[in-house]
Amino acid sequence: MAQKKCLFKKENSDYEEEDFFTSKCFQVRPHVQFKEVPTNGEEYLLKVIREREKYASVLQCDYIDYKKLSKKVSKKGKSYFEEIANPAAPETIKPTAEWQNIQVADFSDIRKYIQQMQVKDLVPPTIKDICDRKRRVECWKSLFNEEPTMTHVVGISQFMIDAGLDILTEQLGLVEAGQTVDRKTGQWIYTLLAVTRYPHLYDTTTKLRDLARKCLEIRSRINPEDENAKELAAPMNLFICLVARYFGQKDLAD
C-alpha cells in the first residue's frame, strides 16, 4: 500500500502526518484586508475566497447531447467550430518589433501608476455604481463624449470595464473602409485597457480578442497607397499590439 502524503499539516498539531482533505491548503492571516486590486499573495487569496463565497457549492449544468454535438464534425475531421483567420494587412503599415516593445513598456508603466492610485485610494471613481443594468449603455455612451480622466476609471469593476469595451468595439464597427478610429474613441480604448485586470477571466479575454479583431479588420481596409496610411494604421497597430503582446493573445500579434 502506497505511503500517505501530507497535503497540509496544521501548525503546533499533535497529529501525525496524514491527509487533511477537508483542511485549507493555504491560510490568510486575520489582519489581511480585502482589496479590489490585490498587492500580495494573501490579498489575492482573500479576494478568491470572497468571490467563491458568492457561488453555491454545487452548480447544475445543462445537459449536453455529445452524440449530436459530435455530428457537427466534418468528414475530414475538422472541428465544426473554427476561428476565423486574422485579416491580412500590407507589411508597409504594420509596426516594427522595436516600436511594439516601446509601446508595451510605456503601457506597463502607466498600469503600474494607475495601480498605485487604486491601492492608495487617492482618486475616487465617478462611475463606480451609477450605471445600473437598464442604463449601462446610455451611461457609457454619455461618458464617451467626454475626454477620459483618471476619475472616470480608477476603481471601477472589471464587469463595468467589460461593458465599456463592448460598446467601444461596436463603435469600431462603424468605421468606414479606408478610415480609422476617431481620437476620443481611441483615448477611451487605451484608458479602459489600462485599467483592465490581468490575469483576467475568459469573458474579458473574449472581449479583448473581439476588440483586436475589429482593429485588424479596420487596418486591413486601409489603402497602403494613401499618403496617410501609416498614420491611419497607428491606433489600430497600438491596440492590436497591447492585446496580443501585453494581454497574452499572441496569435493576433504582427
Side-chain angles (χ1 to χ4, degrees), residues 31-126:
H31 70 272
V32 176
Q33 296 182 349
F34 174 81
K35 294 180 180 178
E36 181 65 29
V37 182
T39 58
N40 56 49
E42 284 189 296
E43 291 176 2
Y44 177 78
L45 287 174
L46 182 59
K47 182 176 175 62
V48 172
I49 292 171
R50 293 286 178 84
E51 291 293 328
R52 177 64 184 85
E53 291 173 351
K54 298 178 182 179
Y55 300 93
S57 299
V58 178
L59 298 178
Q60 182 177 355
C61 298
D62 294 333
Y63 171 74
I64 299 176
D65 191 336
Y66 289 99
K67 290 184 178 180
K68 290 183 179 180
L69 186 62
S70 63
K71 293 180 181 179
K72 295 184 178 182
V73 178
S74 67
K75 294 181 180 180
K76 295 182 180 180
K78 294 183 178 180
S79 173
Y80 180 80
F81 305 99
E82 294 184 0
E83 195 169 31
I84 301 173
N86 298 336
E91 294 295 329
T92 54
I93 61 175
K94 287 185 178 181
T96 64
E98 180 182 4
W99 182 88
Q100 294 183 73
N101 291 336
I102 293 173
Q103 303 310 314
V104 170
D106 289 345
F107 183 70
S108 180
D109 289 341
I110 290 174
R111 283 177 62 86
K112 289 177 182 178
Y113 173 72
I114 292 175
Q115 287 171 0
Q116 291 174 356
M117 300 292 285
Q118 290 174 324
V119 170
K120 295 178 181 179
D121 198 25
L122 298 179
V123 182
T126 59

Side-chain angles (χ1 to χ4, degrees), residues 32 89 121 167 173 175 248 252:
V32 176
D121 198 25
I167 298 170
V175 176
L252 300 177

Side-chain angles (χ1 to χ4, degrees), residues 191-205:
T191 299
L192 291 188
L193 289 178
V195 294
T196 292
R197 311 293 194 271
Y198 189 68
H200 41 61
L201 300 177
Y202 175 78
D203 286 349
T204 302
T205 300

Side-chain angles (χ1 to χ4, degrees), residues 90-249:
E91 294 295 329
T92 54
I93 61 175
K94 287 185 178 181
T96 64
E98 180 182 4
W99 182 88
Q100 294 183 73
N101 291 336
I102 293 173
Q103 303 310 314
V104 170
D106 289 345
F107 183 70
S108 180
D109 289 341
I110 290 174
R111 283 177 62 86
K112 289 177 182 178
Y113 173 72
I114 292 175
Q115 287 171 0
Q116 291 174 356
M117 300 292 285
Q118 290 174 324
V119 170
K120 295 178 181 179
D121 198 25
L122 298 179
V123 182
T126 59
I127 61 172
K128 187 173 183 180
D129 297 314
I130 66 171
C131 294
D132 58 30
R133 183 178 296 275
K134 294 181 180 179
R135 298 185 60 250
R136 187 175 304 132
V137 174
E138 178 186 344
C139 289
W140 269 122
K141 288 186 176 180
S142 176
L143 283 172
F144 290 156
N145 291 324
E146 305 176 17
E147 294 284 340
T149 64
M150 291 287 287
T151 53
H152 281 135
V153 296
V154 171
I156 65 175
S157 68
Q158 185 58 49
F159 179 79
M160 288 295 297
I161 295 171
D162 287 350
L165 289 173
D166 265 343
I167 298 170
L168 289 171
T169 301
E170 290 180 6
Q171 292 185 2
L172 289 179
L174 302 177
V175 176
E176 297 181 357
Q179 299 300 315
T180 190
V181 64
D182 63 88
R183 179 174 176 271
K184 192 174 294 182
T185 300
Q187 289 178 328
W188 270 106
I189 292 175
Y190 192 91
T191 299
L192 291 188
L193 289 178
V195 294
T196 292
R197 311 293 194 271
Y198 189 68
H200 41 61
L201 300 177
Y202 175 78
D203 286 349
T204 302
T205 300
T206 300
K207 297 180 188 305
L208 291 175
R209 291 183 64 83
D210 288 344
L211 174 70
R213 283 186 169 279
K214 186 59 66 175
C215 291
L216 285 164
E217 180 183 337
I218 293 173
R219 189 179 66 176
S220 69
R221 297 183 300 177
I222 295 175
N223 182 2
E225 302 300 324
D226 190 318
E227 61 179 1
N228 297 322
K230 291 185 177 180
E231 181 179 343
L232 294 172
M236 303 299 100
N237 287 337
L238 176 59
F239 303 142
I240 295 166
C241 167
L242 296 180
V243 171
R245 296 184 179 272
Y246 187 92
F247 291 108
Q249 306 306 307

